Amino acid sequence: TSGGGLHLYHRAGDDVVLPCRISSPFYTCSGVYWFYIRDPNRRLPLEVKDGNVVESSPRAARLNVGSNCSLIINNITAEDAGGYYCGYSIIIYDVTVLLNVLTK
């Protein structure tokens, strides 16, 4: 879908909303996928599949999917910094969201 990237800057402990811009009447949040990448040489961990938080994710207790398909991360830590990819049925990827976590 759209290209480019979005850079977000938040402090550790903040709650953040990562937008997903799937803008088509054919796509619903029940088909949304969210991937997280911290190391580009490793496989993309799946955080959300078919609109539901993947329970095996280390962050599962702090993740939610918003009504607009956004990924909500509560109480972020430095470990949450990295790239997040939103897509539909693992095929179409939306803008990359780069989350930067500011620490002392």
Side-chain angles (χ1 to χ4, degrees):
T1 58
S2 56
L6 174 65
H7 293 261
L8 298 179
Y9 296 86
H10 286 274
R11 295 193 183 281
D14 286 354
D15 295 340
V16 298
V17 177
L18 308 181
C20 180
R21 298 184 196 120
I22 294 177
S23 58
S24 169
F26 302 108
Y27 304 139
T28 65
C29 294
S30 64
V32 75
Y33 282 65
W34 274 97
F35 294 91
Y36 166 69
I37 184 168
R38 186 174 179 105
D39 180 352
N41 297 317
R42 298 183 71 189
R43 186 175 69 85
L44 296 177
L46 184 61
E47 301 287 347
V48 171
K49 178 181 179 184
D50 293 328
N52 297 302
V53 173
V54 174
E55 292 304 318
S56 61
S57 166
R59 290 184 275 267
R62 298 186 295 117
L63 299 178
N64 289 294
V65 178
S67 60
N68 59 354
C69 307
S70 59
L71 180 64
I72 302 164
I73 309 173
N74 296 308
N75 193 27
I76 62 169
T77 69
E79 294 300 312
D80 295 319
Y84 291 82
Y85 300 86
C86 173
Y88 187 80
S89 295
I90 316 179
I91 298 170
I92 301 169
Y93 289 99
D94 189 25
V95 62
T96 304
V97 181
L98 298 172
L99 176 62
N100 300 278
V101 180
L102 307 172
T103 59
K104 292 182 181 183

